[in-house]
Amino acid sequence: MQSEMNRLFQGVFGPVRATNGEATWAPAVDIEETDDAWNVEAELPGVDRKDITVELRDSELEISGEIRERERKGVIRRQTRRIGHYEYRVMLPGQPDAEQIQAKLHEGVLTVRIPKTERTQPHKVEVTT
């Protein structure tokens, strides 16, 4: 029964993982790769930038934090917006330039730009006869 409930929640809300008795969910994320960087956009509506942690360990990017439930005066009749701990991890397929990473939060979207090192950037090889 528990596994079926987990599958149902994953289908509706995305990956959910229990840690220390709390459910952890992953925000919706787009990753775009260009010749010189990876650009990660994560949807985090209503999150304050001080409640977001962005860390890079080797080639693994982790975005985590918490969305706290706001104080309400009325009775909640329906609640579908996520609250609680969130976490997103991705292994980048190359060597990032950790010193040049930039993270910006604008209108509920966190954008993390992770430049590639020179070794990771593609190099065009001329074919000769």
Side-chain angles (χ1 to χ4, degrees):
M1 180 68 142
Q2 181 66 39
S3 64
E4 293 207 22
M5 288 298 291
N6 286 342
R7 190 170 57 242
L8 173 66
F9 277 104
Q10 285 182 359
V12 175
F13 298 111
V16 177
R17 189 172 80 232
T19 56
N20 300 331
E22 294 184 18
T24 300
W25 54 273
V29 173
D30 289 340
I31 301 175
E32 175 188 19
E33 182 174 3
T34 64
D35 286 344
D36 64 343
W38 294 279
N39 298 302
V40 179
E41 294 179 337
E43 292 182 6
L44 296 170
V47 178
D48 193 303
R49 66 184 175 96
K50 71 179 179 357
D51 294 326
I52 300 171
T53 301
V54 178
E55 294 182 339
L56 182 72
R57 291 183 197 93
D58 296 322
S59 291
E60 181 181 45
L61 175 69
E62 179 182 326
I63 299 169
S64 62
E66 180 178 8
I67 295 179
R68 295 180 182 88
E69 186 165 10
R70 63 184 181 91
E71 187 176 322
R72 299 179 187 272
K73 296 182 191 239
V75 176
I76 295 183
R77 299 292 182 193
R78 173 177 284 190
Q79 184 173 19
T80 59
R81 292 178 11 188
R82 295 183 189 184
I83 56 171
H85 294 279
Y86 61 86
E87 180 179 291
Y88 178 81
R89 292 176 184 232
V90 64
M91 289 297 294
L92 301 170
Q95 187 63 39
D97 185 351
E99 300 300 316
Q100 301 299 317
I101 295 175
Q102 298 173 338
K104 296 179 182 179
L105 182 64
H106 180 69
E107 295 184 355
V109 177
L110 173 69
T111 302
V112 182
R113 184 177 187 282
I114 308 151
K116 297 177 180 179
T117 61
E118 286 291 324
R119 281 190 336 207
T120 305
Q121 293 181 20
H123 298 281
K124 185 173 182 175
V125 177
E126 186 176 331
V127 178
T128 62
T129 57

